[in-house]
Amino acid sequence: MDWFPLYNSLRIAGISTVIIFFVGIFAAYYISKAPRVVKGVLDVVLTLPLVLPPTVVGYLLLRVLGPRRLVGAWMLSAFGIKLTMTWWSAVFATVVVIFPLMYRTARGAFEAFDETLTYSGQSLGLSNTYIFWRIRMPCCRQGILAGTVLAFARALGEYGATNMIAGYTPGRTATISTTVYHLWRTNNDALAFKWVMLNMAISFVVLLAVNTLEKKNSSEKGGG
């Protein structure tokens, strides 16, 4: 059994999750403080990948990153870097697909934060950076961690956009999801079933972690 799809899926999911962790928190923090109209417009734009079919997301990415498109052609001619049909091409797809999960979860956590703690910190002369990392983030950590874990699970199982922009090449771009489809298409149901069960086991562990975080958060709020 070739374990490359598992390694590649974990690699892509891990990199994508790290990216959206910081970008999602940054966007959630500043948009939560934006005027109502601006917040509404940005919410729609940033959450759109969550409701679009993954294949549509993949198609739109190809329109931008394809070798004959604006960004893709420029990267290819200027640096000799092809932005599609490589393992890291899937990172673009998963980042776009899972970003709304992290953004919405983090924004909800920030909006539930008691701003009087911020005002108290400011009255004591604490910097906004200190208040954010040492007061706001610890108070919102359970929601942010839950969003991070959920985004990782979604990235691990991403198929539609990943298949369109990275394709399926054994030993190079294959992921668990694309491997399952390829094995099913070639009538190798036994091996496809093994990958399905492995993916389900990982997803079960991830969802168990999310539920644990949510219960812990609820108990802390109830105790407070």
Side-chain angles (χ1 to χ4, degrees):
M1 187 171 177
D2 179 18
W3 293 102
F4 178 82
L6 174 60
Y7 161 71
N8 196 38
S9 295
L10 291 173
R11 172 171 59 174
I12 292 168
I15 295 173
S16 302
T17 303
V18 170
I19 293 172
I20 63 98
F21 177 81
F22 292 102
V23 177
I25 287 175
F26 176 84
Y29 176 70
Y30 285 102
I31 292 175
S32 66
K33 296 179 174 297
R36 185 174 181 179
V37 175
V38 175
K39 183 190 297 185
V41 173
L42 292 177
D43 262 350
V44 172
V45 173
L46 296 178
T47 311
L48 196 58
L50 189 64
V51 296
L52 286 175
T55 50
V56 172
V57 174
Y59 173 79
L60 294 175
L61 286 172
L62 285 175
R63 297 284 297 182
V64 176
L65 304 178
R68 296 184 180 180
R69 301 300 173 180
L70 183 62
V71 177
W74 178 74
M75 288 294 293
L76 189 60
S77 61
F79 304 102
I81 299 176
K82 190 178 181 182
L83 298 182
T84 58
M85 300 305 155
T86 63
W87 74 265
W88 44 268
S89 300
V91 174
F92 300 137
T94 52
V95 163
V96 173
V97 170
I98 70 175
F99 172 80
L101 291 173
M102 186 64 201
Y103 163 71
R104 299 289 295 191
T105 306
R107 209 199 77 184
F110 288 150
E111 289 179 344
F113 175 72
D114 185 2
E115 290 295 339
T116 57
L117 296 176
T118 300
Y119 304 143
S120 299
Q122 290 172 344
S123 67
L124 294 173
L126 300 177
S127 66
N128 289 332
T129 302
Y130 183 93
I131 293 172
F132 180 83
W133 290 109
R134 302 300 297 272
I135 298 177
R136 186 182 298 270
M137 285 294 287
C139 290
C140 301
R141 68 183 183 278
Q142 299 299 337
I144 291 174
L145 285 174
T148 303
V149 174
L150 196 60
F152 176 82
R154 179 65 183 86
L156 195 64
E158 213 301 298
Y159 170 74
T162 298
N163 189 50
M164 290 196 68
I165 197 170
Y168 171 80
T169 304
R172 290 183 58 191
T173 67
T175 63
I176 294 177
S177 299
T178 57
T179 297
V180 168
Y181 175 75
H182 173 75
L183 292 172
W184 169 79
R185 190 168 57 86
T186 55
N187 295 320
N188 193 345
D189 286 343
L191 189 53
F193 182 74
K194 291 180 181 179
W195 280 113
V196 168
M197 294 305 296
L198 177 62
N199 201 359
M200 289 181 64
I202 296 173
S203 299
F204 177 83
V205 172
V206 169
L207 291 176
L208 186 63
V210 172
N211 289 335
T212 302
L213 289 170
E214 289 179 346
K215 289 180 180 178
K216 185 177 179 182
N217 189 33
S218 299
S219 62
E220 287 182 354
K221 288 181 179 179

